Amino acid sequence: MNDSLCQWLDAEMKDYAPRFKAFNRRLMRRVPIWMALSVAAMVALGFGVGYDWQYVVKVHLLIGLGFAAFIWLCFWIQTRSVSIKKVRGMYEQALLELSPSDQEAFARQSPTGHADFMNSASDKYPARLTVGPDYWLYFRGGCSVYKVSDMESLKAVQETTRVGYNVGDTRVRQNLGIGVSIVAGYSEGTASASGSPSAKVYLENSKQLGEAQELIKKYCPKAGSLWGER
């Protein structure tokens, strides 16, 4: 990795670190709520099935406290399993896949902007989309780099999953929305297309999509003509 890219990465991690700490604080603020709910649920269950208060205190309250301790331990382990060092490693892995000339161009592109997405219900890290005039980078538990000159199209696609459930004796199948992606189609014969004909920036909801589109509009004017219909 050349010096200019190392300097860019140093600055990026310095900017990302406060978001990472805020994400962990937000995650840990949820712990007392889940702990209290687990205790309250077990106590309510004890009274609900008709046990006297002494049995509820001796058995159900203790079980609830055990669940609460387990919840705290799970969240604690999660916060200790992530680090800025690991984030930097994922960035480095993605950036090192670029050619030396692309690495140099990536580090020197200007201006750039970014958006952070705090998906604390599903992610271990705050997601970050960094957009410049020639390259984008998306980090969400993994890191991907997108070369704008290799793109031939952009579109927003609703992501769905198929679920099935019973209504009486009838089996019903339904598509449920689980997020939205910006899909970049690559021109045939480009270096990006050699790996895959397209790449996705997966986002949680339409609000995040709007933020991403505004970021692209502001910092990557070249992409303006690439958007197709949703």
Side-chain angles (χ1 to χ4, degrees), residues 136-202:
W136 307 347
L137 183 148
Y138 188 49
F139 172 73
R140 189 179 180 188
C143 201
S144 300
V145 180
Y146 309 83
K147 188 175 180 179
V148 178
S149 62
D150 286 353
M151 297 177 185
E152 67 174 2
S153 64
L154 287 172
K155 61 181 178 179
V157 177
Q158 184 73 45
E159 299 288 352
T160 62
T161 186
R162 191 140 179 100
V163 298
Y165 54 92
N166 292 325
V167 179
D169 296 330
T170 304
R171 184 66 174 174
V172 177
R173 295 189 178 277
Q174 183 178 5
N175 290 328
L176 293 181
I178 57 172
V180 62
S181 292
I182 295 175
V183 181
Y186 292 125
S187 300
E188 187 176 352
T190 60
S192 299
S194 64
S196 174
S198 64
K200 290 184 177 182
V201 175
Y202 177 77

Side-chain angles (χ1 to χ4, degrees), residues 14 24 31 43 48 60 66 70 80 82-83 101 106 109 148 153 156 159 166 175 185 191 203 206 226:
K14 184 177 180 181
N24 276 342
V31 177
V43 170
H60 284 253
F70 178 73
R80 292 302 180 272
V82 297
S83 67
S101 60
F106 179 94
Q109 67 173 343
V148 178
S153 64
E159 299 288 352
N166 292 325
N175 290 328
L203 303 160
S206 57
L226 301 179

Side-chain angles (χ1 to χ4, degrees), residues 68-87:
F70 178 73
I71 290 170
W72 179 86
L73 181 62
C74 289
F75 276 91
W76 183 84
I77 290 174
Q78 180 174 336
T79 58
R80 292 302 180 272
S81 67
V82 297
S83 67
I84 287 292
K85 184 178 180 180
K86 291 182 179 179
V87 175

